[in-house]
Amino acid sequence: MSAPVGQSRQSETEYAAEYAPGANPAEPQFWQLPAAARAAAFARLRALDHPVFCTDPRTGKGFHALVRHADVVEASRNPAVFVSAPGVTTPEPARWVRALFGDSMVNLDDPRHADLRRIVSRAFTPRLVARVEDDIRQVAARIVDDVLEQRPADFVPAVAAELPYQVICNMMGVPERQRREILRQINHASEHTGVARSRLRVPGRGLRALARMQGVIAALGRERRRHPADDLISALVTADVDGRRLDSRQLGAFFSLLLVAGVETTRNALAHGLYLLTTHPEQRALLVSDLDTHLGGAVEEIVRHATPIIQFRRTLAVDHELSGARLAKGDKVVLFFGAANRDETVFADPDAFDITRSPNPHLGFGGGGPHFCLGAYLARQEMKVLLRELLTRLPDIRSVGEPDLVPSNFDNRVRSLRFAFTPPTG
Ligand code: HEM
């Protein structure tokens, strides 16, 4: 409970409601508000001198909203107090989902989390990612070739989603035929799961699609265990020197996590990136004037400004005091990465899009600690390579109109973004 020391839970709830009417991120309708209204609400919450407890009036349940940079960092780096089980998403995954698909590493704590992370990190060291860099370049070049040939209207499926999906599939060693099948199942699943879903509703068709996708991956895992190849699936399903490996269910859970954590996030970052560069022509001019100097800063600033993952949750393992709020064992806290990325005590002029911001200690990849984004290095490489390819070969590429955003309390998702460019002559 986040009442300032000495206050009761009830008076804190009343205080929050009175102090910031309409600014309650525990209410589903909050996430339907325009982005500016949500940002203003988070600014008001940040201005309070302690975290606030937000209650969902439908359920009477709630969480302490961590909106300041320092609070998100502290909770992220103290996993003994702020644990990830039983889940980091709100609402938390239903028990049957976990029973069916196995636990995803984001929802686990040590020692199970450390064990899993040790196995899967084999694929994400900068050295190994450097090996896939050539591959990223080839995929990016092919995407631009296809754009030139097919002139698609929507940047999201043609470019932003295509790059991270193909890169993950290449790393995992998913054959071409299965890629299309998996993509079909994912699209199917995301059409049938929504933001305001109730925990009790079984998203029947979406669930079946997910199960089919996991089936495809599990079959690949079994095949690679018999005939290992030089790819990530083989590395994950064959034992290392200590005898550790993933079983089929864990492999399926990990692949699903990569699709959400690695593909959706990067896709949304890239789509927001094109929009931000289009709507900030002076920043774009600076970027293209010297790509080598500014590309890294531009990628960091896109991730800060867009913050593809809005929030993750933790649960209190013990009573704890954080920034003047008393948190009780069992309480939930929500780490609002996007709100922390606009913390005016850390970022000067936080709403500005400034590719030269330095330092830029944003929390777009998490606040540090054991769950810090495993794919941060890979994501940065993908974004740099694709932006370089686009800005070099399609120099006037730009978004057209506003992005079609999907209301969500979880990710800053772009459904579609129209775009245009002048094809090169000759
Ligand atoms: C711009 C793109 C990306 C963003 C904004 C992003 C953001 C995040 C965030 C906020 C977390 C949670 C951190 C925490 O709780 O402390 C996370 C975790 C994770 N990310 Fe990323 N991510 C991105 C790309 C990727 C990519 C490309 C991959 C892999 C291919 C990836 C794999 C993961 C995994 C496996 C975790 C869970 C780590 C754990 O629980 O130990 N992410 N990411």
Side-chain angles (χ1 to χ4, degrees), residues 76 105-107 113 117 124 168 254 257-258 261-263 265-266 269 303 308-309 312 314 337 363-376 378-379 382-383:
S76 302
M105 66 192 288
V106 277
N107 298 327
H113 174 260
R117 181 139 177 153
F124 292 97
I168 289 283
F254 181 59
L257 173 65
L258 285 191
V263 177
T265 48
T266 311
V303 175
I309 294 191
F312 269 156
R314 301 287 192 268
F337 302 116
L363 308 182
F365 292 114
H371 290 277
F372 185 76
C373 178
L374 188 58
L378 177 65
E382 289 184 40
M383 291 177 69

Side-chain angles (χ1 to χ4, degrees), residues 283 297 300-301 304-305 346-361:
Q283 293 294 309
E300 296 310 313
E301 183 65 347
R304 182 191 75 88
H305 208 277
V346 175
F347 304 102
D349 198 1
D351 293 333
F353 175 65
D354 175 4
I355 64 170
T356 64
R357 199 179 281 282
S358 175
N360 188 349

